[in-house]
Amino acid sequence: MRTETPQTIRLSEYRPSDYLIDRVDLDIHLDPTATRVRAMLALRPNPAGTPGAPLVLDGDELQLESLALDGKPLMQGDYTCAPDKLTIAQPPQDPFSLTIETRIDPTANTKLMGLYRSNGVYCTQCEAEGFRRITYFLDRPDVMAVYTTRIEANRAEAPVLLGNGNPVASGELPGGRHFAVWDDPHPKPSYLFALVGGDLGSVTRAFVTMSGRKVDLAVHVERGKESRADYALDALERSMRWDEKVFGREYDLDVFNIVAVSDFNMGAMENKGLNIFNDKYVLASQETATDSDFAHIEAIIAHEYFHNWTGNRITCRDWFQLCLKEGLTVFRDQEFSSDERSRGVERINAVRTLRARQFTEDSGPLAHPVRPREYREINNFYTATVYEKGAEIIRMLKTLLGEAAFKAGMDLYFSRHDNQAATIEDFLTCFRDASGRDLTQFALWYEQAGTPRVAVSGHYDADARRYRLDFAQSTPPTPGQAVKQPVVIPIALGLVGPNGEDVGGEAQGLETDGVFALSRASDSLTFENVSAPPIPSLLRGFSAPVRLSLDLDDAALLTLVRHDSDAFNRWQAAQSVATRLMTRPDRPGDSRGADALAKALDGFLAEEAEGDPAFAALMLALPPETEIAQEIGADVDPDAIHAARTALKIHLAETLAPRLATLRAQLASSRPYSPDAGSAGRRALRNIALDLLASCDPAIRPADEAEAMTAAQYDEADNMTDRLGALNVAIHAPGIGEALRDRLLADFRTRFTEEPLVLDKWFALQASVAEPGTLARVQELMRDTAFSLNNPNRVRALIGAFAMNNPTQFNRADGAGYHFVAEQVLTLDTRNPQLAARLLTAFNTWRVLEPGRRAKARAALEHIAARDGLSRDVADIVQRTLA
Ligand code: PHE
Ligand code: ZN
């Protein structure tokens, strides 16, 4: 089978469906290898479609058993049928029903799309186009129907049977079988359909909505792991309360079920009333989950719940509008986490993710607009751009319109488009109508790919007591978009005096809350009555997803570190100095730059570390190697970057060591473990302190001292954050000898043999070691009994971590890293194309590498491209990456 260049779907070619489906009645007989699905569809011609058009239903690897129209079996000549398509040439032009019987094999379904089995549990995944793997259907989000689902199964195999909506009936059947009937009164697109059947345990809680309706909440997990679902259940309740309070959104069914499964391609899925989760984002206990696991669980539980309004009640007209639900829902979950935790810390973490994933994507061959104009495989567009940049657009909208108008726009959106499949235009029109503001230029954020650059320079006129900022914006070309227009960039700013004092200054054209909206290619802003030359603090809170360049010297940046009133910019200033030191290192023998940074951080720690340890931990973390590579931008040598970063880290560690040692002791907790953000912050600071202490030259701090500290933290840990923190240091830090490293790795492996999610951490850690032996180690670990190519979490932990989290070893100069990952992509492609395509995106930076590595990466990509029979997922990514 030769790989065909897949067909391109274009936004400009959108047409309404020729038929609509109002009702779907499903009867599903679960069986491990021969599940029978009977679907009864109530259809009618769409007034907006082409009269008399043929009815063409989507399928994917389906086997048709029988077909009837208005109850009468259809004859051979009345329809044509293939695994991917069912066509009725001349359907009735009045309402009619179709009864379709298909047979599917959930055990053989390794793509994890449609109905499959995970550890024996039947579950479904239908977004984006998985429903067509269950029955023939108009599998597109603008076809919305009400569903009833009858599920029948062997009681011993699947005592728990769950569907969308409310449970309406259940009972026993002969032969050890039983059934349940679920009714979902809310019209929905097929991608939100779900069912689950299995032997699951659960934790439950009653919730009363703001209008007094009672809802039964439940989280279902593998039997025996119930207690690990408590945190998720609690996060669900808090999310529901928050959405009522902040967005005025109430839940709309009698039950809300969450099910955790161990084989899942993504994080989780917002199916109506029946969210299905990768168990990594549900299960948590003190011993097995890190603080960042807890934070992710909280965020993803919230995210999927918030989709009930932004995604489900109001869905997308077509898949080009994916950011309508995803960007908005990410924004909502970020706001939730900010309210539940620390706003400043949450913002910094969100920006770190954005820069690592979205900025990288936006500067490479896969760059695309937040609303793409075309795709060949929609699965490849669940990207950082659609999600994270999509969320930044909503945040900018709020910044530009202000709190009140933003809220009015959201309310209008909820009331005007409830029960509809909407577009970005519909969404923006609500904000225009609510605020009276013209959003035409703002809409460009959805259309233009690439990260805008904003260059700023400041000019002080002492005689006139005037300060002027000159701004210029430009967006680099991206695939298919050579020329860019200026966008509206909200720049939150303030002026800081040389000693941190307020230097006054009023500017025309500044919105009252200190936001300058840069909308032209270049513009200036003038402040009057400025008493001394100020230091500008720009893009406070990272008010726009742009790259800022500003000609501030290190001394000015270090003043911001100590004195800016904006937490984000304090952190950013330290990051900027560090980035500068790593891209333009001090000359040999001259370490003044690094000394100044170390001194500023030391002063900061002395005064503030104990008060806000989470923030302090972020201040101590150097920018990741990928970010430095982006800053360099061309002819990148990952080994040189790693060396520069390690050198700076050691330098900082040596200056800060005395203070860090004291802090570690002060922060040691005697209180019982709690996953709350405050306690997590203390652990984060202790862990980074340990990491730095273990990086010191033995001449400064004896290595056996570092080893003793690391071993003690590991052995005495009562929680996963501390234990994994110590293991991480043991495996990466130069000051730790092989003996300790091997002992801890072996201990961790035995201690958690029965814990797949913890073993994932063990695999990932070893795959990310920046040493030449790592590739061989990864290959050896693939033969570990706990490794499996069938489990996406395991593949991501070992192969994914190597490809995405280990810049020096994936980018080995001899090309062996590329070759290895390419082979894994090809192997995975035959069983799980989505997973394979995702792994392949590790190559997205290949063009900025130095020529030797670039040629080797290209060869690996061409090796993949040359393979016959590639999936559409992998063919699409490899072709765009090479283009
Ligand atoms: N819609 C899911 C979310 O963002 C993501 C997802 C997409 C899950 C496709 C599975 C398949 O919440
Ligand atoms: Zn989502």
Side-chain angles (χ1 to χ4, degrees):
M1 195 203 331
R2 177 89 218 117
T3 307
E4 308 290 335
T5 293
Q7 193 200 335
T8 300
I9 319 286
R10 295 194 171 77
L11 172 57
S12 59
E13 291 168 11
Y14 171 82
R15 286 197 317 112
S17 166
D18 292 322
Y19 293 85
L20 294 175
I21 302 174
D22 297 317
R23 280 197 61 83
V24 180
D25 290 289
L26 291 163
D27 189 2
I28 299 179
H29 294 221
L30 293 176
D31 178 276
T33 54
T35 290
R36 279 174 28 235
V37 178
R38 199 190 69 197
M40 187 145 77
L41 315 180
L43 288 125
R44 66 186 157 96
N46 185 353
T50 310
L55 173 68
V56 185
L57 301 180
D58 305 300
D60 184 10
E61 301 184 317
L62 284 179
Q63 185 186 327
L64 182 68
E65 298 278 296
S66 77
L67 181 63
L69 197 153
D70 286 332
K72 289 187 246 2
L74 275 186
M75 299 294 112
Q76 282 290 333
D78 298 336
Y79 68 95
T80 60
C81 188
D84 64 344
K85 198 183 274 194
L86 174 63
T87 308
I88 300 179
Q90 293 179 305
Q93 294 304 295
D94 301 313
F96 63 101
S97 80
L98 266 191
T99 309
I100 306 168
E101 282 195 319
T102 49
R103 178 195 291 259
I104 50 186
D105 181 349
T107 302
N109 186 351
T110 58
K111 295 182 178 170
L112 313 185
M113 284 294 274
L115 176 70
Y116 65 95
R117 291 211 306 164
S118 173
N119 277 345
V121 177
Y122 294 92
C123 63
T124 56
Q125 173 52 46
C126 293
E127 185 176 7
E129 298 178 333
F131 194 67
R132 63 184 65 182
R133 294 169 61 76
I134 296 172
T135 188
Y136 291 101
F137 204 72
L138 295 172
D139 195 10
R140 44 186 288 169
D142 57 351
V143 172
M144 295 169 81
V146 293
Y147 287 64
T148 63
T149 311
R150 182 181 178 283
I151 313 164
E152 190 184 308
N154 186 310
R155 179 180 265 288
E157 186 187 36
V160 177
L161 298 175
L162 304 171
N164 303 110
N166 298 317
V168 290
S170 62
E172 299 304 317
L173 295 167
R177 292 185 69 83
H178 74 145
F179 74 95
V181 182
W182 290 77
D183 175 56
D184 183 3
H186 299 282
K188 65 167 175 285
S190 51
Y191 81 84
L192 291 172
F193 169 82
L195 73 78
V196 167
D199 189 3
L200 298 160
S202 65
V203 291
T204 63
R205 192 176 289 189
F207 181 86
V208 180
T209 71
M210 60 183 178
S211 73
R213 287 214 359 267
K214 182 173 165 286
V215 184
D216 291 323
L217 314 181
V219 182
H220 306 262
V221 299
E222 193 181 303
R223 249 185 219 292
K225 300 219 164 134
E226 291 85 347
S227 66
R228 296 192 192 179
D230 287 338
Y231 185 79
L233 182 60
D234 188 63
L236 173 62
E237 180 176 2
R238 288 185 284 120
S239 308
M240 295 176 82
R241 209 48 90 200
W242 185 89
D243 212 16
E244 292 183 339
K245 198 173 93 202
V246 178
F247 281 86
R249 298 296 109 201
E250 192 175 358
Y251 187 59
D252 54 6
L253 290 165
D254 304 338
V255 300
F256 190 86
N257 285 304
I258 289 176
V259 178
V261 299
S262 48
D263 303 282
F264 202 76
N265 279 340
M266 310 278 278
M269 180 64 210
E270 70 264 24
N271 317 299
K272 185 78 187 188
L274 178 53
N275 291 358
I276 298 181
F277 272 64
N278 185 327
D279 60 4
K280 172 182 163 78
Y281 296 117
V282 172
L283 299 173
S285 71
Q286 176 176 344
E287 292 77 21
T288 59
T290 62
D291 291 323
S292 91
D293 291 330
F294 278 99
H296 280 123
I297 289 170
E298 179 178 82
I300 297 179
I301 292 274
H303 179 96
E304 306 311 329
Y305 174 72
F306 296 156
H307 267 315
N308 191 55
W309 275 94
T310 50
N312 301 4
R313 291 288 288 246
I314 306 179
T315 194
C316 303
R317 184 192 73 173
D318 54 71
W319 292 119
F320 297 102
Q321 322 295 329
L322 184 57
C323 62
L324 177 72
K325 73 178 177 84
E326 295 304 348
L328 178 54
T329 305
V330 170
F331 171 76
R332 276 152 55 69
D333 83 53
Q334 289 177 349
E335 285 299 292
F336 169 72
S337 294
S338 298
D339 285 349
E340 296 285 302
R341 293 167 176 256
S342 149
R343 186 159 284 269
V345 168
E346 290 301 312
R347 186 61 185 144
I348 291 167
N349 279 325
V351 173
R352 289 217 297 196
T353 315
L354 182 80
R355 284 189 175 139
R357 300 186 44 226
Q358 202 278 324
F359 280 23
T360 312
E361 182 167 80
D362 230 359
S363 61
L366 301 176
H368 56 275
V370 171
R371 181 171 64 179
R373 293 166 177 283
E374 56 180 52
Y375 61 78
R376 288 182 292 183
E377 172 52 65
I378 188 57
N379 287 333
N380 290 337
F381 283 84
Y382 288 79
T383 59
T385 296
V386 169
Y387 278 66
E388 263 74 35
K389 190 174 179 183
E392 293 299 317
I393 298 181
I394 308 292
R395 184 174 302 281
M396 288 190 286
L397 185 64
K398 183 175 176 188
T399 303
L400 289 167
L401 298 184
E403 191 102 31
F406 178 75
K407 183 164 192 324
M410 283 304 306
D411 288 344
L412 184 57
Y413 176 64
F414 287 127
S415 61
R416 187 183 279 175
H417 295 291
D418 191 11
N419 280 318
Q420 289 179 10
T423 61
I424 292 301
E425 283 77 7
D426 293 333
F427 178 75
L428 288 178
T429 302
C430 292
F431 289 86
R432 186 200 66 189
D433 292 355
S435 69
R437 296 268 281 261
D438 177 3
L439 296 172
T440 317
Q441 189 190 5
F442 184 79
L444 276 175
W445 278 108
Y446 287 99
E447 308 296 334
Q448 262 182 199
T451 308
R453 288 162 199 274
V454 178
V456 190
S457 58
H459 312 273
Y460 183 62
D461 179 342
D463 297 338
R465 292 166 43 96
R466 185 177 291 148
Y467 183 69
R468 194 183 79 235
L469 284 169
D470 294 335
F471 296 87
Q473 66 159 300
S474 64
T475 304
T478 52
Q481 283 186 339
V483 186
K484 310 279 182 174
Q485 291 167 254
V487 289
V488 196
I489 302 175
I491 302 178
L493 51 78
L495 302 183
V496 178
N499 298 306
E501 76 280 14
D502 187 357
V503 289
E506 303 100 44
Q508 294 262 310
L510 202 58
E511 325 243 333
T512 41
D513 45 355
V515 177
F516 175 59
L518 174 65
S519 57
R520 293 193 278 170
S522 60
D523 209 342
S524 320
L525 187 63
T526 304
F527 296 81
E528 306 289 347
N529 298 321
V530 184
S531 57
I535 302 167
S537 169
L538 302 176
L539 213 65
R540 281 180 163 167
F542 204 66
S543 56
V546 301
R547 281 176 204 269
L548 180 71
S549 68
L550 174 64
D551 54 356
L552 284 186
D553 59 21
D554 284 7
L557 286 168
L558 295 176
T559 301
L560 292 181
V561 168
R562 298 305 310 281
H563 298 299
D564 202 322
S565 59
D566 181 66
F568 179 85
N569 267 7
R570 297 183 68 190
W571 172 81
Q572 179 58 59
Q575 296 277 299
S576 299
V577 174
T579 303
R580 194 175 282 171
L581 288 168
M582 292 183 284
T583 48
R584 282 182 261 148
D586 289 333
R587 267 171 298 150
D590 171 9
S591 60
R592 271 174 299 176
D595 289 342
L597 176 61
K599 199 165 148 261
L601 288 174
D602 196 49
F604 160 80
L605 289 177
E607 286 171 28
E608 302 183 57
E610 274 203 276
D612 191 353
F615 181 64
L618 290 171
M619 289 292 274
L620 290 177
L622 292 176
E625 287 166 34
T626 46
E627 210 171 287
I628 305 161
Q630 274 179 55
E631 196 59 35
I632 296 172
D635 288 333
V636 166
D637 173 356
D639 289 331
I641 292 176
H642 181 73
R645 189 174 184 277
T646 307
L648 180 60
K649 184 171 166 184
I650 292 173
H651 191 109
L652 294 180
E654 289 170 355
T655 311
L656 298 175
R659 174 113 30 225
L660 294 173
T662 321
L663 266 174
R664 267 196 94 241
Q666 286 167 342
L667 290 166
S669 177
S670 52
R671 288 175 284 182
Y673 174 85
S674 154
D676 70 89
S679 314
R682 298 166 73 88
R683 284 186 287 271
L685 184 53
R686 285 193 87 230
N687 271 333
I688 194 157
L690 179 66
D691 183 32
L692 287 167
L693 287 168
S695 301
C696 290
D697 188 319
I700 308 270
R701 282 196 88 75
D704 53 349
E705 214 175 284
E707 292 205 339
M709 262 189 301
T710 307
Q713 178 170 322
Y714 181 92
D715 292 325
E716 291 158 22
D718 71 348
N719 66 83
M720 181 50 82
T721 301
D722 288 345
R723 197 176 320 270
L724 193 68
L727 184 61
N728 182 48
V729 168
I731 208 171
H732 290 289
I736 306 283
E738 226 165 276
L740 178 62
R741 168 175 169 165
D742 291 348
R743 171 173 82 80
L744 299 191
L745 268 177
D747 176 88
F748 197 87
R749 177 73 172 80
T750 359
R751 198 184 279 263
F752 297 109
T753 311
E754 304 297 325
E755 301 288 352
L757 295 173
V758 184
L759 289 180
D760 286 342
K761 302 180 193 302
W762 183 78
F763 281 116
L765 217 48
Q766 297 177 79
S768 63
V769 176
E771 283 172 13
T774 296
L775 175 56
R777 180 78 184 134
V778 169
Q779 285 166 319
E780 185 188 318
L781 286 170
M782 285 184 71
R783 293 188 294 272
D784 190 291
T785 47
F787 184 77
S788 159
L789 280 174
N790 292 327
N791 178 258
N793 286 351
R794 200 70 24 88
V795 170
R796 284 183 285 249
L798 185 59
I799 307 171
F802 177 78
M804 316 262 192
N805 262 337
N806 194 340
T808 64
Q809 301 313 300
F810 172 59
N811 295 294
R812 278 164 61 126
D814 65 3
Y818 305 137
H819 182 76
F820 168 72
V821 174
E823 287 306 324
Q824 301 314 314
V825 166
L826 287 170
T827 307
L828 282 168
D829 195 35
T830 61
R831 59 180 90 210
N832 189 337
Q834 267 186 58
L835 186 60
R838 200 42 70 148
L839 183 62
L840 180 54
T841 62
F843 284 90
N844 66 359
T845 54
W846 75 279
R847 280 183 191 281
V848 297
L849 297 166
E850 51 80 24
R853 288 176 171 87
R854 202 188 310 153
K856 298 217 153 67
R858 177 197 286 278
L861 286 163
E862 282 171 347
H863 173 66
I864 296 175
R867 178 67 59 93
D868 286 348
L870 287 178
S871 69
R872 195 159 53 164
D873 308 60
V874 164
D876 172 45
I877 299 281
V878 77
Q879 285 166 18
R880 282 194 283 141
T881 305
L882 277 168

